[in-house]
Amino acid sequence: MPTPRRTPRRPSRRQVLGMAATVPLALTADLALGAAPAGAATGPAFVMAYFTESPNGLGTDYGLHLAVSLDGLEWTPLNQNKPVATPTQGAGGLRDPFILRKQDGTFAVLATDLKGTDWSYNSQYIHVWDSADLRSLTGYRRLKLHDMTTHSWAPEAFWDASRGQYGIVYSSVNTSGHNVLMVNYTTDFRTVSAPQVFFDPGYDVIDGSLALGVGGTNYMYFKDSSKQALVGARSATLAPGSWQVFSTPVAHGGTEAPILVKSLSSSTWYLWGDTYTPNGVFYAWQTSDLASGTWTPVDQRRYTQPVNSKHGSIAPLTGTQYDNLLAHWGAPAWNRLKSYNHPDRYVRHAGFAGRIDPYPFDPYTDAQWKLVPGLADASGVSFQSVNYPDRYLRHYSYELRLDVNDGTSAFAQDATFHKVAGLADSAWTSFRSHNYPTRYLRHSDYALRIDPVSTATDRADATFRIGY
């Protein structure tokens, strides 16, 4: 929760892993959500829930969005990155959606009752859906959590085996005068117990994310509003009031909305965080020892968030559920191209010139491309603009620009490229010019060109990841 402040062929699991091949093999292992309940499926795939915001609002939507992943690092947005459900009650929108795989293997989806950024909006309710498989969401309702004149931000739920109930953790301002983490208990997400203070370290905290039973200890990361950072607490019992702060703060600018995820094949834990300075960039950190409370940044080459995603949550899927979600909602009809040596930047057009710019930006569709059969050679590819579909990326005097296809042979050749193994990393991709085969698509001072490639810098400039 921010501080007050063409139906495409769906990718197979093998293809999606190929898209994410920048991740070393030891790290493409399945990841498990730390708070997955005992007995629940723990892979081999994942679903992320989120809402969307973009810098100028062109990609903003306060509905429930879903993306899937096989490695927990590279994500495929579903339904063309459009919402799969939108609340009809309360504020008529949501933030901070959370997916819980319940003990019976079905799902509950919870979300903040808030549309937009009116932080003064008070709601004692959260949005709730039920779902067997996330292809349909049923039983929509709002669930009342308390009677206080305040909000119910960023709900997350967990299974408390000692109680035989689910706990719903959320942020509210209680009589302390600052945000604390509250908890209600439930068995059905229709009726709840009276609220209790789950965690109050004496200062403003929001956005709790839990990992349960790790070496006999329960962990929770939250946003410390005074530090604008993610901080960890731990408890042996899960009991309200039993949490003790222990970790080193983690942040990249102002950071919130932690997600804890663990590799199934190693001791590596990942911590995702959502920044709001600048707004909407997810960063990830890793550690081999959750108990240490220290984290190392993950190279941005290894992960890509869904475009415009904000405040996500991650839940495990079975392989069948992953396949069914892709079949039902569909993978995007477009791609984005990430720079190898500037992985915070994406290929886009601006003023009809080709370049790479840092994510996020608006119009975000400037960075979306349909990779169509090459206009001059169908074995190659051409880059058709999504927001200017009569225009293609082509070279002119070796510079890349977005021009209207005039139907000439010269244009077709200028707009055709051949995919080859990445010159800097064979798991990525480089693009050789069709009519100047000694030249490759690359960036230079962030502008796109076709040039001969000879140095290590040239090779890195000419290497890209095709993803979403």
Side-chain angles (χ1 to χ4, degrees), residues 297-312:
V298 179
D299 190 330
Q300 280 187 286
R301 291 175 184 168
R302 292 171 46 197
Y303 62 93
T304 304
Q305 70 185 92
V307 63
N308 299 326
S309 54
K310 285 285 297 176
H311 199 130

Side-chain angles (χ1 to χ4, degrees), residues 178-192:
H178 58 257
N179 275 289
V180 301
L181 296 181
M182 305 290 292
V183 65
N184 299 66
Y185 295 96
T186 184
T187 58
D188 57 8
F189 294 93
R190 292 182 178 274
T191 60
V192 296

Side-chain angles (χ1 to χ4, degrees), residues 13-46:
R13 278 174 264 174
R14 180 183 298 274
Q15 287 171 320
V16 172
L17 278 176
M19 294 174 189
T22 59
V23 184
L25 289 177
L27 296 171
T28 56
D30 302 329
L31 307 177
L33 186 67
T42 54
F46 303 88

Side-chain angles (χ1 to χ4, degrees), residues 333-353:
W334 41 264
N335 289 102
R336 291 189 296 163
L337 301 177
K338 174 188 280 192
S339 167
Y340 176 79
N341 51 354
H342 293 277
D344 63 327
R345 291 176 178 258
Y346 289 77
V347 170
R348 69 172 295 186
H349 61 84
F352 300 126

